[in-house]
Tab-separated table of all heavy atoms in Angstrom:
chain	number	residue	atom	x	y	z
S	41	ASP	N	-3.107	4.615	-9.077
S	41	ASP	CA	-3.760	3.310	-8.885
S	41	ASP	C	-4.295	3.151	-7.454
S	41	ASP	O	-4.659	2.041	-7.058
S	41	ASP	CB	-2.791	2.125	-9.235
S	41	ASP	CG	-1.431	2.241	-8.542
S	41	ASP	OD1	-1.180	3.260	-7.844
S	41	ASP	OD2	-0.669	1.319	-8.697
S	42	SER	N	-4.383	4.247	-6.706
S	42	SER	CA	-5.004	4.218	-5.392
S	42	SER	C	-6.313	5.016	-5.449
S	42	SER	O	-6.511	5.837	-6.334
S	42	SER	CB	-4.064	4.857	-4.362
S	42	SER	OG	-2.863	4.108	-4.303
S	43	GLU	N	-7.156	4.762	-4.514
S	43	GLU	CA	-8.480	5.361	-4.445
S	43	GLU	C	-8.721	6.062	-3.124
S	43	GLU	O	-7.956	5.836	-2.176
S	43	GLU	CB	-9.562	4.327	-4.616
S	43	GLU	CG	-9.378	3.351	-5.724
S	43	GLU	CD	-10.187	2.093	-5.518
S	43	GLU	OE1	-11.459	2.198	-5.500
S	43	GLU	OE2	-9.639	1.000	-5.392
S	44	GLY	N	-9.772	6.810	-3.028
S	44	GLY	CA	-10.202	7.290	-1.736
S	44	GLY	C	-10.122	8.787	-1.506
S	44	GLY	O	-10.138	9.611	-2.391
S	45	LEU	N	-10.079	9.088	-0.203
S	45	LEU	CA	-10.219	10.491	0.274
S	45	LEU	C	-8.993	11.350	-0.151
S	45	LEU	O	-7.869	11.068	0.187
S	45	LEU	CB	-10.346	10.454	1.786
S	45	LEU	CG	-10.496	11.843	2.493
S	45	LEU	CD1	-11.673	12.610	1.957
S	45	LEU	CD2	-10.586	11.657	3.963
S	46	LEU	N	-9.351	12.457	-0.813
S	46	LEU	CA	-8.406	13.466	-1.163
S	46	LEU	C	-9.003	14.802	-0.731
S	46	LEU	O	-10.149	15.110	-1.048
S	46	LEU	CB	-8.140	13.434	-2.671
S	46	LEU	CG	-7.000	14.289	-3.185
S	46	LEU	CD1	-5.667	13.801	-2.676
S	46	LEU	CD2	-7.003	14.285	-4.732
S	47	LEU	N	-8.253	15.591	0.004
S	47	LEU	CA	-8.723	16.923	0.388
S	47	LEU	C	-8.189	17.920	-0.586
S	47	LEU	O	-7.064	17.793	-1.070
S	47	LEU	CB	-8.226	17.281	1.788
S	47	LEU	CG	-8.766	16.504	2.939
S	47	LEU	CD1	-8.145	16.942	4.277
S	47	LEU	CD2	-10.287	16.595	3.010
S	48	LEU	N	-8.973	18.963	-0.884
S	48	LEU	CA	-8.566	20.040	-1.732
S	48	LEU	C	-8.778	21.347	-0.974
S	48	LEU	O	-9.763	21.459	-0.253
S	48	LEU	CB	-9.349	20.027	-3.027
S	48	LEU	CG	-9.027	18.824	-3.895
S	48	LEU	CD1	-10.215	17.917	-3.923
S	48	LEU	CD2	-8.585	19.197	-5.240
S	49	THR	N	-7.842	22.322	-1.153
S	49	THR	CA	-8.018	23.545	-0.440
S	49	THR	C	-7.359	24.692	-1.201
S	49	THR	O	-6.548	24.447	-2.095
S	49	THR	CB	-7.316	23.427	1.000
S	49	THR	OG1	-7.584	24.635	1.671
S	49	THR	CG2	-5.853	23.233	0.885
S	50	ASN	N	-7.758	25.923	-0.795
S	50	ASN	CA	-7.034	27.094	-1.314
S	50	ASN	C	-6.243	27.749	-0.211
S	50	ASN	O	-5.726	28.839	-0.345
S	50	ASN	CB	-8.027	28.103	-1.943
S	50	ASN	CG	-9.056	28.580	-0.915
S	50	ASN	OD1	-9.064	28.161	0.229
S	50	ASN	ND2	-9.976	29.381	-1.356
S	51	ASP	N	-6.159	27.094	0.939
S	51	ASP	CA	-5.422	27.558	2.107
S	51	ASP	C	-4.037	26.936	2.134
S	51	ASP	O	-3.895	25.736	2.453
S	51	ASP	CB	-6.217	27.205	3.363
S	51	ASP	CG	-5.575	27.707	4.685
S	51	ASP	OD1	-4.348	27.898	4.726
S	51	ASP	OD2	-6.333	27.913	5.612
S	52	GLY	N	-3.038	27.698	1.773
S	52	GLY	CA	-1.661	27.212	1.657
S	52	GLY	C	-1.122	26.672	2.974
S	52	GLY	O	-0.412	25.669	3.000
S	53	ARG	N	-1.422	27.361	4.061
S	53	ARG	CA	-0.930	26.905	5.368
S	53	ARG	C	-1.532	25.565	5.754
S	53	ARG	O	-0.844	24.655	6.210
S	53	ARG	CB	-1.255	27.943	6.473
S	53	ARG	CG	-0.716	27.582	7.839
S	53	ARG	CD	-0.941	28.745	8.802
S	53	ARG	NE	-0.386	28.380	10.105
S	53	ARG	CZ	-0.996	27.693	11.052
S	53	ARG	NH1	-2.229	27.274	10.868
S	53	ARG	NH2	-0.393	27.422	12.193
S	54	LEU	N	-2.817	25.434	5.516
S	54	LEU	CA	-3.477	24.149	5.793
S	54	LEU	C	-2.907	23.011	4.934
S	54	LEU	O	-2.571	21.948	5.439
S	54	LEU	CB	-5.002	24.284	5.524
S	54	LEU	CG	-5.836	23.037	5.763
S	54	LEU	CD1	-6.026	22.752	7.243
S	54	LEU	CD2	-7.188	23.162	5.088
S	55	GLN	N	-2.683	23.337	3.688
S	55	GLN	CA	-2.110	22.355	2.767
S	55	GLN	C	-0.746	21.899	3.253
S	55	GLN	O	-0.463	20.715	3.308
S	55	GLN	CB	-2.025	22.900	1.354
S	55	GLN	CG	-1.487	21.907	0.373
S	55	GLN	CD	-1.333	22.532	-1.017
S	55	GLN	OE1	-1.182	23.750	-1.193
S	55	GLN	NE2	-1.347	21.711	-2.025
S	56	HIS	N	0.083	22.840	3.635
S	56	HIS	CA	1.444	22.564	4.096
S	56	HIS	C	1.435	21.703	5.384
S	56	HIS	O	2.090	20.708	5.510
S	56	HIS	CB	2.214	23.883	4.370
S	56	HIS	CG	3.506	23.708	5.088
S	56	HIS	ND1	4.610	23.086	4.482
S	56	HIS	CD2	3.840	23.906	6.361
S	56	HIS	CE1	5.593	23.003	5.343
S	56	HIS	NE2	5.169	23.514	6.522
S	57	ARG	N	0.576	22.118	6.381
S	57	ARG	CA	0.555	21.437	7.660
S	57	ARG	C	-0.005	20.006	7.511
S	57	ARG	O	0.495	19.120	8.239
S	57	ARG	CB	-0.319	22.205	8.647
S	57	ARG	CG	0.199	23.556	9.076
S	57	ARG	CD	1.387	23.430	9.988
S	57	ARG	NE	1.086	22.765	11.199
S	57	ARG	CZ	1.369	23.176	12.413
S	57	ARG	NH1	1.955	24.315	12.573
S	57	ARG	NH2	1.071	22.462	13.481
S	58	LEU	N	-0.928	19.789	6.621
S	58	LEU	CA	-1.450	18.418	6.459
S	58	LEU	C	-0.597	17.564	5.584
S	58	LEU	O	-0.613	16.322	5.683
S	58	LEU	CB	-2.871	18.467	5.947
S	58	LEU	CG	-3.987	18.913	6.913
S	58	LEU	CD1	-5.306	19.008	6.227
S	58	LEU	CD2	-4.050	17.978	8.115
S	59	SER	N	0.159	18.170	4.680
S	59	SER	CA	1.036	17.381	3.764
S	59	SER	C	2.393	17.061	4.336
S	59	SER	O	2.963	16.005	3.969
S	59	SER	CB	1.215	18.172	2.461
S	59	SER	OG	-0.027	18.351	1.822
S	60	ASN	N	2.940	17.944	5.153
S	60	ASN	CA	4.268	17.760	5.622
S	60	ASN	C	4.346	16.643	6.652
S	60	ASN	O	3.717	16.768	7.708
S	60	ASN	CB	4.776	19.085	6.248
S	60	ASN	CG	6.242	19.105	6.531
S	60	ASN	OD1	6.810	18.106	7.007
S	60	ASN	ND2	6.900	20.201	6.212
S	61	PRO	N	5.211	15.618	6.434
S	61	PRO	CA	5.294	14.504	7.366
S	61	PRO	C	5.739	14.932	8.811
S	61	PRO	O	5.474	14.230	9.732
S	61	PRO	CB	6.333	13.596	6.750
S	61	PRO	CG	6.553	14.041	5.372
S	61	PRO	CD	6.042	15.425	5.280
S	62	ARG	N	6.367	16.101	8.903
S	62	ARG	CA	6.817	16.568	10.194
S	62	ARG	C	5.672	16.711	11.211
S	62	ARG	O	5.840	16.518	12.399
S	62	ARG	CB	7.557	17.893	10.008
S	62	ARG	CG	8.126	18.440	11.261
S	62	ARG	CD	8.897	19.699	11.044
S	62	ARG	NE	7.911	20.810	11.051
S	62	ARG	CZ	8.180	22.026	10.674
S	62	ARG	NH1	9.374	22.357	10.201
S	62	ARG	NH2	7.294	23.000	10.716
S	63	PHE	N	4.481	17.018	10.734
S	63	PHE	CA	3.351	17.273	11.615
S	63	PHE	C	2.576	16.017	11.977
S	63	PHE	O	1.673	16.095	12.829
S	63	PHE	CB	2.463	18.345	11.013
S	63	PHE	CG	3.186	19.653	10.812
S	63	PHE	CD1	3.512	20.067	9.563
S	63	PHE	CD2	3.530	20.415	11.937
S	63	PHE	CE1	4.234	21.266	9.419
S	63	PHE	CE2	4.221	21.606	11.783
S	63	PHE	CZ	4.522	22.038	10.502
S	64	ARG	N	2.865	14.908	11.333
S	64	ARG	CA	2.366	13.584	11.727
S	64	ARG	C	0.856	13.433	11.793
S	64	ARG	O	0.363	12.804	12.716
S	64	ARG	CB	3.015	13.143	13.017
S	64	ARG	CG	4.534	13.079	12.981
S	64	ARG	CD	5.136	12.693	14.269
S	64	ARG	NE	6.555	12.619	14.174
S	64	ARG	CZ	7.298	11.573	14.527
S	64	ARG	NH1	6.720	10.523	14.939
S	64	ARG	NH2	8.620	11.644	14.384
S	65	HIS	N	0.139	14.010	10.904
S	65	HIS	CA	-1.336	13.906	10.914
S	65	HIS	C	-1.705	12.481	10.363
S	65	HIS	O	-1.192	12.069	9.363
S	65	HIS	CB	-2.025	14.987	10.139
S	65	HIS	CG	-1.748	16.354	10.697
S	65	HIS	ND1	-2.189	16.658	11.945
S	65	HIS	CD2	-1.095	17.432	10.218
S	65	HIS	CE1	-1.805	17.930	12.203
S	65	HIS	NE2	-1.135	18.380	11.172
S	66	PRO	N	-2.597	11.791	11.101
S	66	PRO	CA	-2.942	10.401	10.713
S	66	PRO	C	-3.712	10.305	9.375
S	66	PRO	O	-4.575	11.135	9.097
S	66	PRO	CB	-3.732	9.875	11.872
S	66	PRO	CG	-4.296	11.113	12.480
S	66	PRO	CD	-3.310	12.209	12.295
S	67	ARG	N	-3.357	9.297	8.621
S	67	ARG	CA	-4.119	8.923	7.414
S	67	ARG	C	-4.368	7.430	7.481
S	67	ARG	O	-3.483	6.648	7.766
S	67	ARG	CB	-3.195	9.184	6.207
S	67	ARG	CG	-2.798	10.621	5.947
S	67	ARG	CD	-1.493	10.643	5.164
S	67	ARG	NE	-1.020	12.020	4.944
S	67	ARG	CZ	-0.270	12.647	5.829
S	67	ARG	NH1	0.091	12.070	6.963
S	67	ARG	NH2	0.161	13.888	5.592
S	68	THR	N	-5.645	7.075	7.251
S	68	THR	CA	-6.045	5.646	7.385
S	68	THR	C	-6.366	5.072	6.034
S	68	THR	O	-7.123	5.738	5.266
S	68	THR	CB	-7.196	5.546	8.390
S	68	THR	OG1	-6.789	6.103	9.664
S	68	THR	CG2	-7.645	4.125	8.592
S	69	TYR	N	-5.932	3.836	5.832
S	69	TYR	CA	-6.120	3.181	4.525
S	69	TYR	C	-6.716	1.800	4.768
S	69	TYR	O	-6.378	1.124	5.793
S	69	TYR	CB	-4.747	2.950	3.828
S	69	TYR	CG	-4.032	4.275	3.582
S	69	TYR	CD1	-3.223	4.840	4.536
S	69	TYR	CD2	-4.152	4.932	2.380
S	69	TYR	CE1	-2.513	6.013	4.324
S	69	TYR	CE2	-3.483	6.103	2.117
S	69	TYR	CZ	-2.709	6.678	3.080
S	69	TYR	OH	-2.000	7.833	2.873
S	70	TRP	N	-7.600	1.368	3.892
S	70	TRP	CA	-7.985	-0.018	3.797
S	70	TRP	C	-7.196	-0.641	2.665
S	70	TRP	O	-7.185	-0.121	1.577
S	70	TRP	CB	-9.499	-0.152	3.566
S	70	TRP	CG	-10.287	0.196	4.798
S	70	TRP	CD1	-9.853	0.240	6.090
S	70	TRP	CD2	-11.695	0.543	4.805
S	70	TRP	NE1	-10.923	0.577	6.914
S	70	TRP	CE2	-12.037	0.765	6.189
S	70	TRP	CE3	-12.634	0.644	3.811
S	70	TRP	CZ2	-13.318	1.088	6.580
S	70	TRP	CZ3	-13.973	0.967	4.217
S	70	TRP	CH2	-14.298	1.169	5.588
S	71	VAL	N	-6.531	-1.756	2.974
S	71	VAL	CA	-5.534	-2.289	2.061
S	71	VAL	C	-5.867	-3.779	1.823
S	71	VAL	O	-5.847	-4.534	2.797
S	71	VAL	CB	-4.101	-2.151	2.647
S	71	VAL	CG1	-3.070	-2.615	1.632
S	71	VAL	CG2	-3.858	-0.706	3.076
S	72	GLN	N	-6.128	-4.114	0.572
S	72	GLN	CA	-6.296	-5.499	0.263
S	72	GLN	C	-4.957	-6.068	-0.151
S	72	GLN	O	-4.319	-5.538	-1.093
S	72	GLN	CB	-7.340	-5.686	-0.831
S	72	GLN	CG	-7.653	-7.143	-1.148
S	72	GLN	CD	-8.703	-7.278	-2.243
S	72	GLN	OE1	-8.918	-6.348	-3.070
S	72	GLN	NE2	-9.356	-8.409	-2.304
S	73	VAL	N	-4.535	-7.163	0.499
S	73	VAL	CA	-3.238	-7.720	0.226
S	73	VAL	C	-3.349	-9.201	-0.266
S	73	VAL	O	-4.353	-9.848	0.053
S	73	VAL	CB	-2.273	-7.669	1.439
S	73	VAL	CG1	-1.984	-6.273	1.848
S	73	VAL	CG2	-2.843	-8.452	2.599
S	74	GLU	N	-2.365	-9.631	-0.970
S	74	GLU	CA	-2.300	-11.041	-1.375
S	74	GLU	C	-1.900	-11.909	-0.157
S	74	GLU	O	-1.047	-11.500	0.628
S	74	GLU	CB	-1.220	-11.220	-2.435
S	74	GLU	CG	-1.667	-11.068	-3.838
S	74	GLU	CD	-0.640	-11.508	-4.879
S	74	GLU	OE1	0.460	-11.960	-4.479
S	74	GLU	OE2	-0.906	-11.317	-6.058
Side-chain angles (χ1 to χ4, degrees):
D41 53 355
S42 298
E43 311 161 63
L45 180 58
L46 189 64
L47 293 179
L48 295 110
T49 185
N50 59 0
D51 182 332
R53 182 174 183 273
L54 179 76
Q55 182 184 26
H56 169 73
R57 294 287 299 229
L58 287 176
S59 298
N60 190 320
R62 183 177 84 190
F63 298 108
R64 301 178 180 235
H65 296 299
R67 298 155 183 84
T68 302
Y69 302 85
W70 286 342
V71 186
Q72 185 179 21
V73 295
E74 272 189 3

